[in-house]
Amino acid sequence: MDTDSPGGSRKFLLAASILSADFASLGAEVSDVLASGADWIHFDVMDNHYAPNLTVGPMVCEAVRPYAGAAWIDAHLMAEPVDALVSSFARAGARMITFHPEASRHVDRTLTLIREEGCLAGLALNPATPLSWLDHVLDRLDMVLLMSVNPGFGGQSFLPFLLPKIAAARALLDAYASVSGRRVLLEVDGGVKAENIAAVAEAGADVFVAGSAIFGARATADAHHYDSVVARLRAALLAVK
Ligand code: DX5
Ligand code: ZN
């Protein structure tokens, strides 16, 4: 990982998914949630083809980029084909670009392309997609994203059968770190809330995507207060060794 990576020891990062934000004031939502203590902006890209929903593209990423300051934009591409979008999102200011292996004809080529564009590369695995997709690509990966819901919508419930999969991914990434000296981040995405974030951390996640849990706490239509919900998520993580 490069020098602005989250460091060598295990640290928990909160990635706020703007899927549940107020799209009519997206810039303010991004700066408000970061001011409340979120670490990354998780940017869910769906194409009504790979994923059964249609969301936002690189133009919106570029538009919100100035509101994110130094925080990373964590682009989660649920779109097919993916390669042309990689360059667009790199130009639009994404730092981490993650895609689904089923959405790329040539997974290794897409991973290489992400790094050539100067970004960090992530691979996203759906609930039923096996960890064996990671077998030959760990050297080209900076993050593994495990979906704990099926792609498409915010506000779905965390699938509990993902906990053992998170633990298995953690073991695999720890074994890889011990031979390579490289840490690959493990992000969990979908249905993460104050009630289950500690269990997700105990299973081995480093990065926690939270959309509806954070933006659902919007106080009123014109005031975005996320301090207390972000503090609740952090407090739950504090209890984790
Ligand atoms: C689902 C998206 C997720 C998800 C997060 O396809 O990738 O980022 O919507 O939202 P919550 O936290 O509401 O599950
Ligand atoms: Zn996502």
Side-chain angles (χ1 to χ4, degrees):
M1 280 217 153
D2 57 5
T3 47
D4 64 341
S5 76
S9 61
R10 189 155 174 235
K11 176 187 166 201
F12 297 135
L13 295 167
L14 273 183
S17 164
I18 58 163
L19 196 56
S20 297
D22 174 2
F23 274 71
S25 44
L26 205 45
E29 290 277 65
V30 165
S31 42
D32 288 348
V33 79
L34 292 171
S36 292
D39 298 296
W40 294 359
I41 295 300
H42 184 83
F43 197 91
D44 283 311
V45 179
M46 305 188 205
D47 63 350
N48 192 38
H49 173 65
Y50 177 73
N53 198 353
L54 187 61
T55 61
V56 282
M59 289 168 69
V60 177
C61 183
E62 192 175 355
V64 300
R65 174 65 269 176
Y67 296 87
W72 289 11
I73 294 190
D74 174 30
H76 177 193
L77 308 186
M78 289 160 278
E80 181 183 4
V82 72
D83 287 4
L85 286 176
V86 167
S87 311
S88 309
F89 273 96
R91 278 198 302 275
R95 186 77 187 95
M96 178 75 76
I97 298 183
T98 299
F99 67 99
H100 289 248
E102 301 91 342
S104 169
R105 286 284 177 95
H106 308 283
V107 171
D108 177 62
R109 175 174 288 148
T110 307
L111 288 171
T112 302
L113 180 63
I114 294 172
R115 287 197 172 166
E116 282 173 359
E117 292 286 354
C119 296
L120 300 177
L123 199 61
L125 304 181
N126 287 332
T129 303
L131 294 178
S132 57
W133 274 103
L134 304 174
D135 281 354
H136 308 287
V137 296
L138 286 173
D139 288 343
R140 259 95 68 225
L141 272 187
D142 299 295
M143 188 170 80
V144 173
L145 182 161
L146 293 186
M147 293 294 300
S148 38
V149 298
N150 286 292
F153 304 94
Q156 302 181 79
S157 297
F158 184 90
L159 295 166
F161 68 84
L162 254 292
L163 285 173
K165 186 180 185 186
I166 297 166
R170 176 82 265 152
L172 196 145
L173 296 182
D174 285 350
Y176 172 72
S178 70
V179 294
S180 68
R182 278 186 74 245
R183 278 185 71 241
V184 175
L185 291 171
L186 182 57
E187 180 175 62
V188 173
D189 183 8
V192 173
K193 316 214 164 307
E195 297 69 46
N196 61 15
I197 195 168
V200 175
E202 269 152 16
D206 305 296
V207 188
F208 305 83
V209 177
S212 52
I214 293 180
F215 290 103
R218 195 180 295 117
T220 68
D222 59 357
H224 311 119
H225 301 305
Y226 302 118
D227 293 16
S228 58
V229 65
V230 171
R232 262 205 311 285
L233 291 164
R234 292 243 183 252
L237 287 172
L238 273 181
V240 178
K241 317 263 173 320

